[in-house]
Amino acid sequence: MPTREDAWPEGTPCWVDSQVDDTARARRFYADMFGWEITDMPQEAGGYLIALRNGRPAAGIGPKPAGMPMPSVWTTYIAADDADAVAARVGAAGGTVVMPPFDVLDVGRMFIAADPTGGVFGVWQAKAHRGAGVYNEHGAYCWNELHTGDYRRAQEFYASVFGWKYDEIGDGENFVYSTFGASGNDHPLGGINDVTKMPGDNGSYWLAWFQVDNADTALTRAAELGATVVSGPGDSPFGRQGVVRGPQGEMFALIDPATTVGEPPTGQSS
């Protein structure tokens, strides 16, 4: 079971949470879906819930911000050593700080931003809450990717803000996709997908992927619990997978990385 005790390095997707209209309904759905033990934060946290796997934080569930109309979503948070400094870089690189940096009790400092292509993400400066304490196992997040309609602009933005380097793994025509990582780190941290090459996909958004032991079983169970299977199950060199719209409209993806078909493409660094 991959676990982490310390704060995640800057530029690493470090946490995911879902903003929904009905947190009690989401609590029931995800507890059954992933086997999470979901606990309440203190009252001053505004109804925020922490999902645990084997006693370690895996994800969060919270109500939508008051007075801010928005769809139900899963949000990817990227680690920062200094949230205010990263917020300044977001603006300088052409992004928008949607919710300026603020302290969350004693657990961290955060802000919400949109990249120039419209992809919304969070930034988390860890204090008492380090981010995900478990990952890359059944019921935990394992991958985060940006779907964007302006692929090169998105790459430029995140490279400027977080120093990401890219490996192009698509064919450059029908499938345009890159993995990203920190400078000097060969381990990919996530991906960027050009949705103009993907019929039926549109807009710019971050998609959170959760690992499961059996994609077919997990997708069937999601549908039984009131979710909608948007795609899949389908095979890939990275695992058997599918995309789900949760009962309140929030999108997420499932993958069984132990069941693969084909050879992964090789990348070219940029």
Side-chain angles (χ1 to χ4, degrees), residues 40-49 63 102-107:
D40 297 279
M41 290 283 282
Q43 185 174 359
E44 54 268 33
Y48 196 81
L49 309 173
F102 64 95
D103 290 320
V104 183
L105 307 177
D106 65 343
V107 299

Side-chain angles (χ1 to χ4, degrees), residues 113-141:
D115 67 43
T117 79
V120 175
F121 62 98
V123 170
W124 183 256
Q125 178 185 338
K127 295 181 181 178
H129 176 63
R130 306 296 191 181
V134 60
Y135 60 99
N136 292 6
E137 71 157 47
H138 177 82
Y141 83 100

Side-chain angles (χ1 to χ4, degrees), residues 94-173:
T96 302
V97 176
V98 177
M99 187 179 292
F102 64 95
D103 290 320
V104 183
L105 307 177
D106 65 343
V107 299
R109 187 166 175 80
M110 64 165 282
F111 68 91
I112 301 296
D115 67 43
T117 79
V120 175
F121 62 98
V123 170
W124 183 256
Q125 178 185 338
K127 295 181 181 178
H129 176 63
R130 306 296 191 181
V134 60
Y135 60 99
N136 292 6
E137 71 157 47
H138 177 82
Y141 83 100
C142 62
W143 191 250
N144 303 80
E145 67 187 14
L146 174 69
H147 290 222
T148 177
D150 193 340
Y151 181 75
R152 295 301 178 191
R153 182 69 184 94
Q155 286 186 322
E156 292 167 358
F157 170 80
Y158 289 100
S160 179
V161 175
F162 294 110
W164 288 349
K165 304 295 183 182
Y166 302 102
D167 282 334
E168 300 290 340
I169 65 170
D171 60 16
E173 295 182 7

